[in-house]
Amino acid sequence: MTASSKAAITARLADARRRTLGLVEQLDDEQLNRVYSPILSPLAWDLGHIANFEELWLVQTIGEQEPLDGELGHFYDAIENPRRTRGELPILRDAELRSYMADVRERALAVLETVEIGSDVEDPLLREGFVYEMLLAHELQHQETMLQLLEMLDDYEAPWPMGTVPATASGMLRIEAGAYEIGATDNGFAYDNERPRHEVELAAFEIDRTPVSNGAYAEFMEVSGGEAPMYWGREGGEWVSTAMGRRQPLAPDHPVTHVSWDQADAYASWAGKRLPTELEWEAAAERLDSVGQVWEWTSSTFRAYDGFRAFPYREYSEVFFGDAYRVLRGGSWATHPSVARRSFRNWDLPERRQIFSGIRCARDAA
Ligand code: AVJ
Ligand code: FE
């Protein structure tokens, strides 16, 4: 890779950081430090964690430098510190937090000047700039987590237009029985859980061309007593959303958002359908409409593909494999487009609704 792609990485890192800081620009330190929910970190933790992850990989690992502060790594370790405990940690706050973020960035860019990142480099962390792509993806992914929290604020003014758009297609798509390629190829950035690419045999199935709408979900609630999504409230005869402290009528033609896996599964059964498996989802994705509005729950638990190898660290994917988590596919309006490849796998506990999650139904083909 040439000097110009180092310039491109520098520019993309700067863009990602502008977007991160743009999300919290209007907030004061008290709001950054406040714990709004036991299942989400205070925003100051996300900010410090983004910078600490950058320090760990780009400065300590790649640059072989000592940590700026030996203790910090512990407080920002997501596995050591469950989200509900993060408000009490002695994390960086206020001006100290901002200067740490800037210091790390300065060091990371100085290291970037000294490394080789071409496609023929031996170190897999540097080959094709893997570690820089990982850093970018990580920061962009944390922006979505921050947005989950920002929806809980009383008076958050979105710094750019946010939210879903209505779907235009309708009906179901038929996917023929056959062999389908699943997962990421060996080239280009992808997380370890997307590899290795492998072939699967699928039976014929049908899948909805659009995610379930607010209107359809409201009907399910009225007819069969289904539970309301997070942020829904009743005002007169109408359902309103109360995210970001504002009451807004729920547009019937927008995708329903903030449903749990249990709600998604119950809706699909009520509709005489089922959730797709994640393999079906990926096989159909090339032809799906309205992907990228809401994360789409699948019936699959989060498991390793055969031949999986943890890289570059076990705590991204491997420690979450098992039956506890369900896979979501596609991406939401809050997901940066560069994060959500067709093979990208997201996961959460089946009862969780703070994520921008929705429903797309499937069924066995007749
Ligand atoms: C892929 C969204 C489940 O937030 O736990 C961020 C992403 N991993 N930092 C998470 C992640 C490490 C991850 N999810
Ligand atoms: Fe993280």
Side-chain angles (χ1 to χ4, degrees):
M1 232 178 248
T2 57
S4 79
S5 41
K6 287 190 182 180
I9 288 170
T10 305
R12 287 164 64 211
L13 286 167
D15 272 349
R17 183 55 51 84
R18 260 193 295 280
R19 197 167 177 268
T20 302
L21 296 177
L23 285 174
V24 298
E25 201 169 39
Q26 63 187 274
L27 305 184
D28 57 31
D29 288 327
E30 190 274 323
Q31 288 170 303
L32 292 182
N33 294 329
R34 186 142 85 202
V35 177
Y36 288 87
S37 158
I39 60 166
L40 289 170
S41 324
L43 292 159
W45 188 90
D46 281 279
L47 295 172
H49 167 82
I50 287 169
N52 187 248
F53 193 78
E54 177 172 341
E55 189 192 2
L56 174 65
W57 288 100
L58 301 190
V59 182
Q60 295 171 236
T61 305
I62 300 298
E64 296 176 349
Q65 293 177 28
E66 291 300 312
L68 285 163
D69 171 341
E71 296 279 40
L72 276 185
H74 294 295
F75 309 140
Y76 292 117
D77 184 316
I79 306 285
E80 267 183 60
N81 304 288
R83 284 175 176 174
R84 70 190 135 72
T85 67
R86 292 176 191 170
E88 284 118 56
L89 293 171
I91 55 171
L92 297 174
R93 296 169 196 276
D94 316 339
E96 240 188 340
L97 169 59
R98 288 168 195 280
S99 73
Y100 174 69
M101 294 177 83
D103 273 3
V104 170
R105 177 52 51 92
E106 198 178 312
R107 284 167 193 242
L109 293 179
V111 172
L112 174 61
E113 288 310 310
T114 69
V115 297
E116 279 293 331
I117 52 177
S119 52
D120 47 4
V121 171
E122 206 166 324
D123 182 350
L125 273 180
L126 287 171
R127 195 184 309 141
E128 294 186 324
F130 180 95
V131 75
Y132 294 95
E133 297 297 335
M134 179 174 86
L135 254 288
L136 279 160
H138 183 255
E139 180 153 356
L140 298 176
Q141 283 173 270
H142 271 276
Q143 291 170 1
E144 181 159 350
T145 321
M146 291 167 69
L147 276 165
Q148 292 167 22
L149 186 109
L150 291 167
E151 284 210 307
M152 296 180 184
L153 267 59
D154 281 343
D155 51 359
Y156 185 67
E157 292 293 338
W160 54 78
M162 290 185 183
T164 52
V165 297
T168 49
S170 63
M172 297 185 90
L173 203 66
R174 185 186 163 95
I175 307 294
E176 296 305 333
Y180 291 88
E181 288 286 328
I182 299 296
T185 60
D186 287 342
N187 301 319
F189 176 77
Y191 283 110
D192 53 4
N193 65 57
E194 298 164 64
R195 293 184 164 130
R197 191 166 166 88
H198 60 287
E199 203 174 83
V200 298
E201 286 290 334
L202 297 178
F205 66 98
E206 294 179 305
I207 188 162
D208 281 347
R209 296 186 63 192
T210 59
V212 172
S213 66
N214 286 324
Y217 195 87
E219 195 192 331
F220 159 61
M221 288 166 57
E222 273 140 43
V223 175
S224 85
E227 247 184 289
M230 192 170 176
Y231 298 117
W232 281 37
R234 199 87 169 140
E235 198 166 90
E238 301 300 316
W239 285 109
V240 294
S241 156
T242 57
M244 294 181 186
R246 266 179 297 276
R247 300 174 81 79
Q248 281 179 334
L250 277 153
D253 57 345
H254 281 241
V256 67
T257 317
H258 292 305
V259 291
S260 66
W261 183 89
D262 299 299
Q263 290 173 317
D265 187 54
Y267 176 91
S269 310
W270 174 77
K273 299 177 182 172
R274 58 172 173 80
L275 297 178
T277 67
E278 65 165 321
L279 304 178
E280 288 173 333
W281 191 97
E282 191 168 327
E286 234 168 289
R287 300 174 50 203
L288 285 186
D289 296 275
S290 300
V291 172
Q293 291 296 304
V294 287
W295 285 104
E296 302 175 21
W297 284 111
T298 72
S299 60
S300 305
T301 52
F302 186 49
R303 297 193 155 272
Y305 294 157
D306 269 352
F308 166 85
R309 277 183 33 243
F311 179 78
Y313 67 116
R314 289 187 62 241
E315 291 75 15
Y316 183 81
S317 315
E318 196 176 9
V319 299
F320 296 100
F321 287 149
D323 287 334
Y325 292 87
R326 297 280 172 171
V327 174
L328 302 105
R329 291 298 201 109
S332 79
W333 61 264
T335 315
H336 192 277
S338 72
V339 167
R341 292 165 293 286
R342 196 156 71 95
S343 58
F344 185 89
R345 307 167 77 197
N346 194 4
W347 64 91
D348 212 330
L349 297 170
E351 68 273 18
R352 287 294 156 81
R353 310 185 297 176
Q354 86 291 351
I355 48 177
F356 303 99
S357 50
I359 315 165
R360 189 190 297 265
C361 297
R363 68 180 169 212
D364 299 349

